[in-house]
Amino acid sequence: MFNITMNEFTQYLPDEVTMRRFAKHLAQIVMAQASPRAVVIYLHGDLGAGKTTFTRGMIQGLGFAGNVKSPTYTLVEEYQIADKAIYHFDLYRLASPEELEYMGIRDYFDKGAICILEWPEKGGELLPSADLELFLDYVDDARSLRAVAQTELGHQIISEL
């Protein structure tokens, strides 16, 4: 079951297999976008809502065969797929947004990269605006995903879902 409006899309995800399949589909749409700048995706949700599982589905869905681990302690993991850099950020353990300055956060949002950020609210004003915000919520034993476009690129992505 899904619902789409001009700038929002919702999808019921009854299990992990469906979540990973949908994440792969989204990743293929994002990968096909010819953007002169980074595509920025924010992931929101409570602990255990599936943010890392969703990201793992995106990255492996694009053909990455290795282990996709949570960057909870490293803050960022990089993956190279088809000459495109994909950065997976997990800001949960970030003590203050200034830590992002020390790690050179602005350098990650390079042209053509895909940047997926868990817990973006912890990054404060140092993060660029999202093109697409994804909200994962519990629905009994399943999840609901709501995608909200924040830019024209985000609208293009949602229109292809």
Side-chain angles (χ1 to χ4, degrees):
M1 176 169 93
F2 68 91
N3 178 31
I4 188 165
T5 64
M6 290 289 288
N7 66 341
E8 275 192 36
F9 175 92
T10 57
Q11 177 73 45
Y12 177 72
L13 305 168
D15 53 40
E16 185 176 330
V17 171
T18 305
M19 179 184 285
R20 292 170 71 105
R21 190 178 319 124
F22 182 79
K24 175 183 179 181
H25 177 64
L26 175 63
Q28 291 169 339
I29 292 169
V30 171
M31 190 73 141
Q33 298 299 316
S35 178
R37 60 173 184 76
V39 177
V40 180
I41 300 171
Y42 285 0
L43 276 169
H44 301 279
D46 292 334
L47 281 173
K51 296 179 297 297
T52 299
T53 299
F54 192 87
T55 303
R56 186 174 292 122
M58 287 183 72
I59 293 168
Q60 289 175 336
L62 292 172
F64 186 78
N67 186 27
V68 177
K69 57 186 176 180
S70 174
T72 300
Y73 294 100
T74 59
L75 296 182
V76 64
E77 290 289 335
E78 178 182 357
Y79 303 91
Q80 289 291 325
I81 302 172
D83 297 326
K84 189 173 287 250
I86 300 174
Y87 299 107
H88 176 201
F89 295 87
D90 185 337
L91 306 182
Y92 181 73
R93 298 198 185 279
L94 194 68
S96 78
E98 286 74 34
E99 286 181 52
L100 296 175
E101 284 288 0
Y102 299 128
M103 69 181 273
I105 191 73
R106 287 175 176 76
D107 296 337
Y108 289 96
F109 301 100
D110 203 1
K111 61 181 178 180
I114 297 171
C115 298
I116 306 165
L117 295 99
E118 296 183 37
W119 303 98
E121 59 276 7
K122 294 193 172 251
E125 300 293 320
L126 294 176
L127 298 178
S129 298
D131 293 298
L132 192 62
E133 290 193 77
L134 303 178
F135 298 86
L136 285 164
D137 292 306
Y138 293 101
V139 177
D140 298 321
D141 289 338
R143 303 292 185 274
S144 173
L145 177 131
R146 183 170 56 97
V148 180
Q150 299 296 345
T151 65
E152 182 58 38
L153 179 58
H155 287 282
Q156 290 172 0
I157 293 167
I158 284 181
S159 71
E160 292 186 41
L161 287 173

